[in-house]
Structures are given as structure tokens and as C-alpha cells.
């Protein structure tokens, strides 16, 4: 732990003595914030929750005008708890380091936040608290344009579409849209292996769907198979076409789909997660790319 990090989380008296400087910025803090969440890289940590404790300290820029006891002129404490809740709800994570980075990044998007200290501890993995502490600071002015939400087109291709001689025409239509496109596929026609065991069957079905995704990628070089939300977001910002490999996002979801064997239902779930502009279905009786009204 660096000296500055230690001072950030240390007693107020220690910090006041060590940092007796009129230019030291004001700070707001969140201490001993407890929550239960599923997190961890080990298989034993899947399917169960454990307690996390958060401590967050934020250095804030001086108010440009008198506060006048107006809550809208300060960095609210709710911002800190909301940043934690948002990142915990976004997806299941393996590492505390990743969670700490994301919480810090979200807080630093607030105009008043100059520097943030985040400490996260696991309370149920041993006789003591196991944790990580980081310090991050604003690199410069935040480019809010980077956070403009994108609303993709989600296209579900059934197996007849995958093997159709119109496939390239449909892909042409997807790439010509104003919105970035994500293609979803379902299970292959051949019945997948049946285990009779829910958790293992879920993984097998997801792997079967991913085989279909790679089959699509083999048919058109524009179809790039992607398995993480971070990569999907990046591909959308670049205007690239993506083919969704669902295992990682589904298994890491805090509130995942109830079943994965229905590829179309899975595509609907992704559309909700991505706040999609629209979802189209291509296959038997599917749309004709020459008829835009079928695509709307």
C-alpha cells in the first residue's frame, strides 16, 4: 500500500498531520459499505455469494461558486454507492482488481472527481479480509462523447439462413444500416448431447451455439466472433459487424436468461441487455433484404 493510499484510508488525524497544506483538496468518503455478490475466479466461487466490503475516498475539485447548502453543487455520496451497484449489476466478475478499476473509472466520470481511492475486501474467503486497494486520477477532461449509448441492430439467423445462398446479401443489409449490427445464432439442427443435468447441459448448449457462430464466421470474413461485452462495445463504436458467442456473457450475467437452448429467446435477452434499436429474424419465412419494410 502506497503512503498516499494509506493516508487516504487512515484516521483523519493522521491524514491532517501528514497533509497540512492549504492546497490539499477536499474529500468525500464511503466506509464499510457491505454487499453480497457472486464473484471470483475459482469454480467453487460460482453459484454462491460472498460478502464484499468497500471503502471509497474521492478528492473533489473546489466548488466554482458558494454551495448555498445546495446538494446539486456537490458530488453526492449516492454517486459512490451507485457506482458500486452499477458495476456489480453489469456482469459477474472474476477479479476484485477489475471491479475496483471499473468503480474508480465510473466515479471519475463525475466532473468534480479529481482522484479516487478504492479498497475492496472479501470477507468470507479466509480467516481475515482479502482485498485490493487502488488509486486512480483523472487523466484530463472526460470525453463524454465516448459514453454516448449505442443501440445496435440484433439479427437472429436460424439454421436455414446460415446455409442459404442469400446469406451474403443479408449480411450486406446488416452492414448498410445506420446502427451497428450483432448477429445471433441458435443450436445446430443435430440434437446436442443430452446430460440430464441442468448446469452441464447449459454449458453444452452454449458451446453448440458457439460452434454455429464459428460456422457463420467461416462463410463471410466480415463476421467476427466476439464473446465479451467489452469487445462488443468496442466493435459497435468502430461500426464493425459482430457474431455473438454467448457463453461468457450468459454465464457471467448477474440476472441471466432462464434457458439457453432457445436461440431466438437468447437473442431477445441480448437485445434487452444491449438496449437494441430492433431485433430481426432471418430464416424460414424471414425477411427479404429487397423489402425494407420487412427489416424495420
Amino acid at each position: 500500500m502506497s503512503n498516499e493510499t494509506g493516508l487516504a484510508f487512515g484516521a483523519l488525524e493522521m491524514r491532517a498531520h501528514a497533509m497540512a497544506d492549504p492546497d490539499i483538496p477536499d474529500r468525500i468518503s464511503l466506509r464499510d459499505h457491505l454487499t453480497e455478490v457472486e464473484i471470483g475466479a475459482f469454480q467453487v466461487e460460482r453459484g454462491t455469494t460472498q460478502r464484499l466490503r468497500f471503502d471509497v475516498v474521492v478528492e473533489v475539485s473546489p466548488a466554482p461558486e458558494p454551495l448555498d447548502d445546495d446538494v446539486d453543487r456537490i458530488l453526492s455520496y449516492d454517486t459512490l454507492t451507485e457506482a458500486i451497484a452499477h458495476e456489480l449489476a453489469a456482469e459477474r466478475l472474476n477479479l476484485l482488481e477489475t471491479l475496483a478499476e471499473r468503480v474508480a473509472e465510473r466515479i471519475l466520470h463525475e466532473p468534480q472527481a479529481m482522484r479516487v481511492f478504492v479498497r475492496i475486501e472479501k470477507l468470507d474467503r479466509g480467516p481475515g479480509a482479502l482485498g485490493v486497494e487502488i488509486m486512480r486520477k483523472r487523466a484530463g477532461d472526460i470525453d463524454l462523447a465516448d459514453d454516448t449509448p449505442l443501440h445496435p441492430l440484433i439479427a437472429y439467423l436460424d439454421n436455414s439462413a446460415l446455409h442459404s445462398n442469400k446469406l451474403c446479401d443479408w449480411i450486406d443489409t446488416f452492414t448498410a444500416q445506420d446502427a451497428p449490427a450483432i448477429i445471433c445464432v441458435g443450436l445446430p439442427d443435430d440434437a446436442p448431447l443430452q446430460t440430464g443435468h441442468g448446469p452441464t447441459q447449459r454449458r453444452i448448449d452454449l458451446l453448440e451455439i458457439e460452434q454455429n457462430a464459428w460456422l457463420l464466421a467461416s462463410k463471410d470474413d466480415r463476421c467476427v466472433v466476439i464473446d465479451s461485452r467489452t469487445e462488443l462495445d468496442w466493435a459497435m463504436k468502430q461500426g464493425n459487424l459482430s457474431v455473438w458467442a454467448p457463453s461468457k456473457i450468459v454465464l457471467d450475467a448477474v440476472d441471466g436468461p432462464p434457458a439457453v437452448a432457445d436461440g431466438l429467446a437468447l437473442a431477445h435477452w441480448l437485445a434487452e441487455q444491449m438496449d437494441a434499436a430492433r431485433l430481426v429474424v432471418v430464416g424460414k419465412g424471414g425477411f427479404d433484404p429487397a423489402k425494407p419494410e420487412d427489416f424495420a
Side-chain angles (χ1 to χ4, degrees), residues 33-291:
H33 179 74
L34 299 178
T35 187
E36 287 196 15
V37 65
E38 182 184 334
I39 190 170
F42 294 98
Q43 193 62 36
V44 70
E45 295 178 288
R46 287 193 173 269
T48 185
T49 61
Q50 54 185 302
R51 291 177 301 153
L52 298 183
R53 179 168 60 207
F54 292 81
D55 293 295
V56 181
V57 178
V58 185
E59 292 181 348
V60 296
S61 58
E65 53 187 326
L67 293 179
D68 292 333
D69 205 31
D70 185 351
V71 70
D72 291 333
R73 296 183 180 179
I74 65 167
L75 178 61
S76 171
Y77 306 106
D78 291 339
T79 301
L80 310 187
T81 57
E82 288 168 3
I84 294 169
H86 183 279
E87 297 305 333
L88 289 176
E91 65 175 320
R92 184 196 183 282
L93 296 175
N94 289 330
L95 301 178
L96 291 182
E97 288 84 351
T98 304
L99 178 56
E101 287 277 359
R102 294 185 179 182
V103 169
E105 180 181 2
R106 178 160 293 275
I107 293 171
L108 285 172
H109 273 74
E110 296 296 323
Q112 303 99 320
M114 300 170 58
R115 189 164 63 159
V116 59
F117 302 83
V118 178
R119 175 164 62 196
I120 310 176
E121 296 170 300
K122 289 184 178 182
L123 304 181
D124 300 323
R125 286 291 291 162
L130 309 176
V132 60
E133 299 174 350
I134 69 168
M135 181 275 287
R136 297 293 181 268
K137 62 182 178 180
R138 182 189 296 276
D141 292 335
I142 299 296
D143 184 2
L144 296 179
D146 289 343
D147 286 340
T148 302
L150 295 172
H151 304 285
L153 162 74
I154 304 293
Y156 175 73
L157 274 60
D158 73 10
N159 290 322
S160 67
L162 285 181
H163 300 286
S164 171
N165 56 13
K166 295 183 178 180
L167 178 62
C168 289
D169 293 334
W170 287 327
I171 294 174
D172 288 341
T173 304
F174 301 152
T175 57
Q177 299 301 302
D178 292 335
I182 301 172
I183 298 177
C184 301
V185 296
L187 288 166
D189 289 327
D190 296 337
L193 174 68
Q194 298 296 314
T195 67
H197 178 253
T200 54
Q201 187 63 52
R202 186 178 179 87
R203 286 180 175 262
I204 287 172
D205 290 344
L206 288 168
L207 289 173
E208 293 275 1
I209 291 172
E210 293 190 355
Q211 287 188 57
N212 249 359
W214 285 106
L215 175 64
L216 174 57
S218 73
K219 294 175 178 290
D220 193 302
D221 289 340
R222 291 171 293 179
C223 295
V224 179
V225 178
I226 290 177
D227 66 356
S228 73
R229 177 63 186 263
T230 299
E231 262 194 297
L232 281 177
D233 288 341
W234 183 87
M236 289 195 299
K237 289 178 181 178
Q238 304 304 311
N240 296 341
L241 180 69
S242 304
V243 179
W244 183 40
S247 291
K248 176 173 174 54
I249 293 177
V250 168
L251 294 174
D252 287 350
V254 174
D255 186 16
V260 300
D262 184 343
L264 181 55
L266 199 57
H268 274 281
W269 179 82
L270 180 67
E272 292 176 356
Q273 301 301 305
M274 304 296 293
D275 195 15
R278 52 191 152 171
L279 184 148
V280 297
V281 180
V282 187
K284 294 178 180 177
F287 77 94
D288 182 342
K291 297 180 180 179

